[in-house]
Amino acid sequence: MSINALEIRELRKTYKGGVNALKGVSLNVKEGDFFALLGPNGAGKSTLIGIITSLVNRSSGEIKVFGDNLFSNPSAAKSHIGLVPQEINFSLFEKVMQIVVNQAGYYGIDRITATKRAEVILKELRLWDKRNETSRKLSGGMKRRLLIARALVHQPKLLILDEPTAGVDIEIRRSTWEYLKKINASGTTIILTTHYLEEAENLCRNIAIIDHGEIIENSSMKALLEKISSETIIADLEKPLKQIPYSSDYLISSIDEHSLEIKVRDSQGINDLFSWFNHHEIAVRSIRNKSNRLEELFMGMIEGKNEQ
Amino acid sequence: MSNSNFNKSATALLTIVRKEVVRFFRIWPQTILPSAITMSLYYVIFGNLIGNRIGRMGDVPYIQYIAPGLVMMAVITNSYSNVVASFFSSKFQRYIDELIISPTPNYIILLGYISGGIARGCTVGFIVVIISIFFTSFKIDSIAITVSVVFLSSLLFSLAGLINGIFARKFDDVSIIPTFVLTPLTYLGGVFYSIALLPPFWEKISQANPIFYMINAFRHGMIGKSDVEIAPAFIIIIVITTVLFISALALLNKGIGVKQ
Ligand SMILES: Nc1ncnc2c1ncn2[C@@H]1O[C@H](COP(=O)(O)OP(=O)(O)OP(=O)(O)O)[C@@H](O)[C@H]1O
Ligand SMILES: [Mg+2]
């Protein structure tokens, strides 16, 4: 039996001032997993990560990291974890190289080893040219990559990333994904929060959804996506359409004269939809998904929950 | 503690100390220069210009009387400012998180920051000693007393600076204590005069000022006599240092000011 990378039991957090950010969260993350923690703004993701990384005091509950209790054996538990925080938190005046090497020092890694490792990581993350710059002179995307470099220098077994690709361009986002896939493949367990559901869908094998401080879903990505019962498709039309012909099978609404929104249930084929278009002599230029599948599911869950 | 844990803690400590020392040397015009200039002015004005008219304090020339006080003043303010400013910045810019997420025990974080304060206090103190050589003959009566008083005072005020840094929420909080508490206490602690000159009531009040003991213990080490007995002075300094050390460590353990 393989050991859990992370075990959280009944974790609760009430901030000073009374915000009940976590209301009894329990969660397991398996060793080697690539795990997505999703939830809307203010759901409690950063709070949960804050407690796991000792930046936030818990109100109650237990946490084990690779079997080591975070509260009774903090130095062992902490040495397993690497953190990419949501907010940039470098010293304004420290240079890139120093930031990475010093972080290694805090984990007890001697300076010679740390310098060698920093070189490898900074090259991999394409920051080597910037090693003698102060962090404030880096672009936003470079700062994000430096956060990752700093989190990895002590070779943690568990890497936790709180929105690692917020505000970076498509290319850097994709190269970051590739990099994360690579280190996951080499054995590092990864937990990631993100608001780009495409990111979670592409990378993660297991997923938990948190809302208002509670886990409302926890399963494999595959099982979750299978729950999706319908997809929304948008069709761009060749010619403006004044009136939508009636359909007994599909829920169709118009976005504007040139595009339609169509809800397609899983049991229905897309072929029938094309027959319908042909039948009514509607010329379709292109079709696309309104949003990605996870996004639709996610919205459904959060809305369903909030209506209760 | 296992041997490997000890080595790791030692490496972490070294990392913090190096970072602290690099910091204050990098910004030397803010950290080292001001004391050097201020103390030179004190020597010129109080030592040479006015001092010559004052004549002797007790039985030493005035400039030689104030020299130890000026050195201590530099040590105290620099130790304190270094730790309060550095710790507050690390909180303000949130890079203190780098340390908090790491396995570095709190007592190592504490030792690291106060070592930085002691390094700066002693560096500037040494520079002021060098400057004073240009103005007065500088003899030391007891090296052991002199060095240990400087070290202990520097330690004490580094700890006080750390506690101030832990509680500070805004930049103003960093300068309030140095301006409104530290500076007055230093001036009133007998840098420029012997409290024997004061009316009995104020002489008694002055004895409640901890800085008074440090300045005079240091003066004792340098010129062989002062307003205080050396043993009680040491006891007072050590007791205060111990209390501050325990308090600072307890605050760090609770995560006051750094954890939500
Ligand atoms: N330091 C704090 N003091 C008081 N309340 C806080 C603090 N930090 C967070 N909260 C509250 O706790 C709740 C959860 O916040 P948290 O930052 O964990 O959400 P999140 O899921 O990370 O959101 P986002 O996606 O916006 O980053 C929110 O209601 C927030 O206002
Ligand atoms: Mg967050």
Side-chain angles (χ1 to χ4, degrees):
Chain A
M1 199 197 87
S2 79
I3 189 170
N4 277 324
L6 184 66
E7 276 179 41
I8 301 174
R9 288 287 153 272
E10 278 300 305
L11 194 65
R12 288 169 198 279
K13 173 65 185 180
T14 308
Y15 281 106
K16 284 192 202 84
V19 178
N20 222 340
L22 297 176
K23 303 166 183 165
V25 167
S26 297
L27 202 61
N28 286 340
V29 177
K30 289 193 203 73
E31 177 168 18
D33 203 353
F34 207 137
F35 191 94
L37 180 64
L38 304 185
N41 287 136
K45 303 180 295 296
S46 295
T47 303
L48 180 58
I49 290 175
I51 298 176
I52 300 168
T53 51
S54 311
L55 295 171
V56 175
N57 283 323
R58 68 178 161 164
S59 298
S60 66
E62 285 303 327
I63 296 179
K64 279 184 187 172
V65 187
F66 285 95
D68 290 315
N69 189 304
L70 180 63
F71 305 106
S72 60
N73 189 7
S75 52
K78 283 164 130 185
S79 65
H80 301 313
I81 305 176
L83 172 68
V84 174
Q86 183 171 6
E87 315 279 350
I88 308 270
N89 64 342
F90 303 119
S91 159
L92 291 176
F93 302 102
E94 251 187 317
K95 298 195 169 125
V96 168
M97 189 72 179
Q98 289 169 346
I99 288 172
V100 179
V101 169
N102 282 344
Q103 184 70 54
Y106 302 151
Y107 286 82
I109 297 161
D110 70 83
R111 216 153 174 90
I112 295 168
T113 314
T115 308
K116 282 185 200 147
R117 281 194 199 172
E119 179 175 344
V120 173
I121 295 175
L122 289 176
K123 282 180 177 165
E124 281 177 347
L125 287 162
R126 291 179 290 138
L127 287 168
W128 183 241
D129 293 345
K130 300 283 176 189
R131 63 189 177 280
N132 292 320
E133 291 289 6
T134 52
S135 67
R136 64 187 164 152
K137 292 196 183 149
L138 301 182
S139 75
M142 292 172 188
K143 284 182 189 155
R144 291 261 154 221
R145 279 179 284 154
L146 180 55
L147 288 176
I148 297 178
R150 186 182 64 181
L152 287 174
V153 68
H154 65 286
Q155 302 178 333
K157 293 203 274 183
L158 172 62
L159 178 65
I160 303 177
L161 306 103
D162 199 352
E163 300 190 26
T165 59
V168 306
D169 69 32
I170 272 286
E171 197 219 317
I172 293 180
R173 187 173 305 154
R174 293 199 187 256
S175 65
T176 305
W177 291 355
E178 288 316 308
Y179 190 68
L180 294 178
K181 274 184 189 165
K182 198 185 92 184
I183 58 170
N184 177 245
S186 69
T188 309
T189 310
I190 297 181
I191 299 174
L192 167 134
T193 82
T194 180
H195 288 289
Y196 301 106
L197 297 176
E198 189 198 352
E199 182 163 297
E201 192 175 336
N202 278 343
L203 294 173
C204 300
R205 281 188 290 282
N206 289 296
I207 179 170
I209 296 179
I210 182 171
D211 190 29
H212 290 107
E214 288 173 295
I215 303 284
I216 57 170
E217 180 69 50
N218 183 6
S219 74
S220 73
M221 186 68 74
K222 194 158 166 284
L224 190 67
L225 289 174
E226 275 166 8
K227 282 193 189 172
I228 295 173
S229 54
S230 69
E231 267 182 90
T232 307
I233 286 173
I234 292 178
D236 292 317
L237 310 180
E238 292 282 359
K239 290 188 206 116
L241 187 70
K242 289 274 174 284
Q243 174 126 34
I244 308 169
Y246 173 75
S247 160
S248 55
D249 298 328
Y250 302 103
L251 193 63
I252 301 178
S253 56
S254 92
I255 299 171
D256 53 42
E257 285 191 333
H258 284 276
S259 39
L260 296 175
E261 188 176 305
I262 306 130
K263 204 149 195 132
V264 183
R265 271 174 279 118
D266 258 11
S267 51
Q268 298 172 312
I270 205 114
N271 280 343
D272 295 342
L273 182 63
F274 280 108
S275 315
W276 182 83
F277 281 134
N278 286 337
H279 179 78
H280 293 280
E281 296 182 337
I282 300 170
V284 177
R285 182 185 293 150
S286 63
I287 64 165
R288 62 194 151 90
N289 279 60
K290 186 181 179 190
S291 52
N292 88 344
R293 296 182 301 156
L294 186 58
E295 206 160 291
E296 253 175 68
L297 185 77
F298 182 73
M299 288 318 296
M301 277 181 175
I302 304 293
E303 277 160 16
K305 170 98 179 145
N306 292 352
E307 278 158 17
Q308 281 168 17
Chain B
M1 195 197 284
S2 78
N3 198 25
S4 112
N5 271 348
F6 179 81
N7 284 340
K8 283 185 178 171
S9 291
T11 304
L13 178 60
L14 216 64
T15 308
I16 304 172
V17 175
R18 180 192 322 235
K19 183 170 161 166
E20 287 302 292
V21 172
V22 166
R23 189 194 82 93
F24 79 74
F25 274 113
R26 187 190 63 232
I27 50 172
W28 64 271
Q30 294 170 48
T31 52
I32 296 174
L33 199 57
S35 286
I37 292 174
T38 317
M39 295 310 158
S40 301
L41 288 172
Y42 279 132
Y43 282 124
V44 171
I45 295 166
F46 292 106
N48 284 353
L49 302 178
I50 299 176
N52 285 341
R53 295 175 175 231
I54 294 174
R56 302 174 88 81
M57 179 71 69
D59 48 11
V60 294
Y62 187 62
I63 188 162
Q64 211 169 326
Y65 185 85
I66 65 168
L70 294 177
V71 173
M72 279 308 278
M73 200 156 128
V75 170
I76 288 170
T77 49
N78 281 284
S79 305
Y80 192 94
S81 323
N82 196 70
V83 184
V84 69
S86 176
F87 194 81
F88 179 72
S89 306
S90 76
K91 261 174 44 171
F92 188 75
Q93 296 171 36
R94 287 237 57 99
Y95 59 87
I96 188 75
D97 291 359
E98 294 175 343
L99 269 167
I100 295 181
I101 64 169
S102 81
T104 310
N106 286 324
Y107 74 89
I108 294 286
I109 298 180
L110 185 146
L111 287 178
Y113 274 95
I114 62 177
S115 302
I118 293 170
R120 168 149 153 219
C122 292
T123 303
V124 177
F126 185 69
I127 289 171
V128 176
V129 168
I130 302 287
I131 292 171
S132 66
I133 292 173
F134 292 101
F135 296 93
T136 172
S137 65
F138 207 90
K139 68 175 181 75
I140 292 178
D141 185 67
S142 158
I143 295 266
I145 293 179
T146 311
V147 170
S148 52
V149 172
V150 166
F151 178 80
L152 282 172
S153 311
S154 189
L155 172 62
L156 189 156
F157 281 95
S158 296
L159 285 164
L162 182 66
I163 292 173
N164 188 169
I166 288 172
F167 284 113
R169 289 166 184 274
K170 48 191 189 325
F171 277 104
D172 287 349
D173 299 345
V174 168
S175 52
I176 280 177
I177 305 273
T179 312
F180 294 104
V181 180
L182 223 50
T183 309
L185 284 185
T186 313
Y187 280 99
L188 300 173
V191 175
F192 296 106
Y193 54 85
S194 162
I195 62 160
L197 299 176
L198 297 174
F201 173 75
W202 290 106
E203 189 179 346
K204 273 273 172 289
I205 294 280
S206 293
Q207 287 172 358
N209 174 3
I211 296 181
F212 161 79
Y213 294 92
M214 292 170 218
I215 291 175
N216 280 289
F218 185 67
R219 183 171 283 142
H220 202 104
M222 282 181 59
I223 59 185
K225 54 182 148 315
S226 70
D227 288 351
V228 298
E229 294 291 330
I230 203 68
F234 264 97
I235 291 169
I236 287 169
I237 296 171
I238 289 170
V239 167
I240 298 176
T241 304
T242 311
V243 170
L244 290 178
F245 187 93
I246 293 167
S247 314
L249 191 57
L251 290 168
L252 283 180
N253 283 339
K254 277 197 171 168
I256 304 288
V258 293
K259 291 193 192 187
Q260 256 88 51

